[in-house]
Amino acid sequence: VKSVDPCEFRGSIRSIVQEGDEKDRGFLHKAFTCLTKGGTSFDSFLLAASQEVGQSILTLPWVFSLVGMTSGICLQLFFATAALYTNYLLVNLHTEYRKRLAVDKDDPRSSDVHYVVSYADIMGYLIGWPMKWLSFAAVFVSLFGLTTVQIIATGSNMYIFYPEIPKRTWGLISGAVFALLAFIPNFRHYRFLVVTANIATTYTSWYMTISAATDPDAPEDPVYDAPRNYDEWFRGMVGLLFVYGGHASNIEVADVMDDHSTYDRAYFWSYLYVFTLTMPNAATAYYSYGNIVRDNQNAFGLYEASPARDFGIIMMCINNLVAFGLFIGPLFHIMEKALKIHRKAFWIRVLARLPLIGIIVLFAIAFPFYGAFNTVLGAFTTSFATYIIPLIAFNLVFRKKDDTINMAKPLPAFVQSKFWLMRFFNYFLAFVLLVSGVGLGGYASIKNFVAQIDQFQYFAECYG
């Protein structure tokens, strides 16, 4: 495949409109394309950073108020590092899948230049149908939940910005605006949006950090009483686990980049960048306000109204819009393939996408419980899609050291020499996450979610 300039209007995935040859395009069209479309490593970094940090920075201070400062810092380091490792495993599996598929001439996907790999495709081809459907279920529910929570977060943000309109109405307005993303073909067209999203999260995180550190109205003797019980600690734990749950859409993102095998490097740099936003924000807010944070699942509620705060709210709503697009993109892909319209005209696919967005909006206003929703997702979807499935799948594909000799993306020499230790570590980590995340964390998060429903009921107009 010929290498291309990412600023040129080319690529294996067609754009919405193609008007003649590239040489006939005007300057403005080329400039617009350069701003909005790209598949470079830098685009991968921007996409990864947008996926990993977004509305979750607004709940991190609340999470710290559940688990405490020490546990919060340690758990964030642990889950972030584990997510970095499992993303590396996923990129290895993705690259191995592409290598094997390229020589499998009996599979029509091997010669289809428009084919975009999905998480379930990799698991089904390399392992078998049970893992395919397990991963499909985990990824589908994860993406559905991640898109839903963007609408919930935007409704919560806008209610803080303008409380004269109920949160439920803000949720409906947000869903209507987010539906416009159905008209964006794929992740190669997100360059300008993800740049904006990363500016939004950077500004908001540092606004909160500085405001919390300098707030003259902060209590003189804040109370640090977390964790108060095991339920709260495990609920906070899966809330931190949820922060690094972008793996469900990583495959589709990596596959439309110019070189999908380097996505793990882009993810590493995004991992470092995300830490500059999440750790100072969460730690400073909890340090300044103590247990007051526990009553503010959306951290914007901690700060007095001001132009700086309101600008942060608007910017985070824009970030939620972008995150919604990043997480719903693979759902569009899954649905279009299931309906066998993925090769149809783009307007047909758009018409099919809009009802899916409508269902997500309905779900968001039925269960508008911000922090509680995040913890349920973390326990039952992020645990599997981000951590457990990649760990187990890698061990099933590469069962012994000899299987790694001709890997499409070779392991480092020091890892290959102790391959048995890597496999043992994978199984051990998967077991720990299954017991603590899905088991104990799942119980605590469901218990809290049910309590929220009992208190506010379904389709609540106003809620906590």
Side-chain angles (χ1 to χ4, degrees):
V1 179
K2 182 181 177 181
S3 60
V4 298
D5 185 338
C7 290
E8 293 180 350
F9 194 79
R10 298 178 185 173
S12 60
I13 308 295
R14 292 191 182 117
S15 181
I16 306 175
V17 182
Q18 290 185 333
E19 302 174 356
D21 296 331
E22 182 71 21
K23 62 183 179 181
D24 296 328
R25 299 188 185 277
F27 170 77
L28 290 178
H29 181 88
K30 290 182 179 180
F32 177 78
T33 300
C34 184
L35 287 172
T36 60
K37 184 180 179 185
T40 66
S41 295
F42 184 63
D43 291 298
S44 297
F45 161 78
L46 293 172
L47 286 162
S50 298
Q51 287 174 316
E52 293 308 315
V53 63
Q55 56 81 28
S56 57
I57 66 173
L58 304 181
T59 63
L60 277 175
W62 171 73
V63 169
F64 268 53
S65 76
L66 298 180
V67 300
M69 183 72 78
T70 302
S71 289
I73 293 172
C74 293
L75 286 171
Q76 191 172 345
L77 285 168
F78 171 75
F79 286 125
T81 306
L84 182 66
Y85 175 66
T86 55
N87 182 73
Y88 171 75
L89 299 182
L90 267 180
V91 171
N92 268 272
L93 292 170
H94 181 198
T95 308
E96 186 68 23
Y97 169 75
R98 274 295 190 183
K99 174 189 173 183
R100 297 186 188 185
L101 185 66
V103 297
D104 186 359
K105 301 305 179 184
D106 294 330
D107 193 317
R109 294 174 296 185
S110 65
S111 57
D112 185 355
V113 296
H114 302 291
Y115 169 60
V116 178
V117 178
S118 71
Y119 197 123
D121 288 344
I122 295 172
M123 302 304 164
Y125 189 89
L126 295 179
I127 300 171
W129 67 266
M131 185 61 84
K132 174 182 178 178
W133 290 110
L134 173 64
S135 61
F136 176 85
V139 168
F140 185 88
V141 176
S142 178
L143 292 171
F144 190 94
L146 286 164
T147 51
T148 302
V149 82
Q150 306 307 319
I151 297 174
I152 296 173
T154 304
S156 176
N157 290 346
M158 291 307 297
Y159 180 74
I160 293 173
F161 178 78
Y162 188 74
E164 301 303 316
I165 297 178
K167 291 184 182 180
R168 184 176 64 191
T169 304
W170 277 123
L172 289 170
I173 294 171
S174 303
V177 174
F178 287 11
L180 297 174
L181 292 174
F183 296 90
I184 297 181
N186 60 66
F187 291 130
R188 290 182 71 91
H189 300 81
Y190 269 77
R191 175 178 283 177
F192 176 76
L193 289 175
V194 294
V195 168
T196 305
N198 281 292
I199 291 172
T201 52
T202 302
Y203 169 83
T204 303
S205 179
W206 283 105
Y207 156 74
M208 289 183 169
T209 301
I210 295 170
S211 295
T214 61
D215 187 356
D217 297 324
E220 293 183 5
D221 297 304
V223 177
Y224 309 112
D225 57 354
R228 296 186 300 181
N229 52 59
Y230 287 112
D231 276 1
E232 286 192 352
W233 192 89
F234 280 108
R235 206 163 81 235
M237 182 202 70
V238 292
L240 283 167
L241 183 151
F242 169 78
V243 173
Y244 300 96
H247 290 36
S249 61
N250 278 2
I251 298 299
E252 284 82 359
V253 171
D255 201 60
V256 297
M257 295 297 109
D258 295 336
D259 185 358
H260 55 77
S261 66
T262 62
Y263 185 73
D264 55 332
R265 299 178 201 166
Y267 191 90
F268 172 75
W269 291 111
S270 75
Y271 157 89
L272 296 180
Y273 167 73
V274 163
F275 256 106
T276 69
L277 306 183
T278 55
M279 191 69 78
N281 168 42
T284 306
Y286 182 58
Y287 180 79
S288 295
Y289 300 105
N291 62 1
I292 295 175
V293 180
R294 197 175 297 126
D295 298 323
N296 293 273
Q297 295 186 15
N298 186 328
F300 277 126
L302 292 168
Y303 307 103
E304 293 293 330
S306 67
R309 189 206 68 170
D310 292 346
F311 180 72
I313 289 175
I314 298 302
M315 291 298 285
M316 282 307 298
C317 290
I318 294 172
N319 173 81
N320 294 341
L321 169 74
V322 177
F324 181 89
L326 295 178
F327 292 124
I328 204 170
L331 284 181
F332 288 155
H333 180 57
I334 291 169
M335 181 194 66
E336 290 163 10
K337 289 181 69 175
L339 297 176
K340 300 187 185 303
I341 61 172
H342 55 293
R343 296 180 183 278
K344 300 292 185 180
F346 185 67
W347 68 268
I348 295 176
R349 289 183 281 145
V350 169
L351 292 178
R353 292 174 174 187
L354 293 174
L356 175 61
I357 295 177
I359 294 171
I360 291 170
V361 174
L362 182 67
F363 204 84
I365 62 173
F367 305 100
F369 315 122
Y370 191 19
F373 203 99
N374 286 9
T375 58
V376 171
L377 284 178
F380 293 104
T381 64
T382 308
S383 291
F384 280 102
T386 298
Y387 300 101
I388 296 172
I389 291 177
L391 291 164
I392 300 298
F394 187 88
N395 281 9
L396 293 177
V397 174
F398 304 103
R399 295 176 180 269
K400 53 186 184 295
K401 185 177 179 180
D402 290 346
D403 295 336
T404 67
I405 294 174
N406 295 314
M407 286 179 66
K409 186 177 176 66
L411 296 172
F414 72 92
V415 174
Q416 198 162 359
S417 64
K418 302 290 184 182
F419 186 63
W420 66 270
L421 186 59
M422 179 183 184
R423 284 174 50 82
F424 172 80
F425 174 76
N426 289 352
Y427 280 131
F428 175 75
L429 184 57
F431 175 77
V432 169
L433 290 166
L434 183 65
V435 173
S436 60
V438 182
L440 299 173
Y443 167 77
S445 60
I446 285 293
K447 183 179 177 181
N448 178 59
F449 193 77
V450 172
Q452 294 278 315
I453 294 175
D454 290 341
Q455 181 178 357
F456 299 107
Q457 302 301 314
Y458 304 101
F459 297 101
E461 184 177 33
C462 294
Y463 51 90

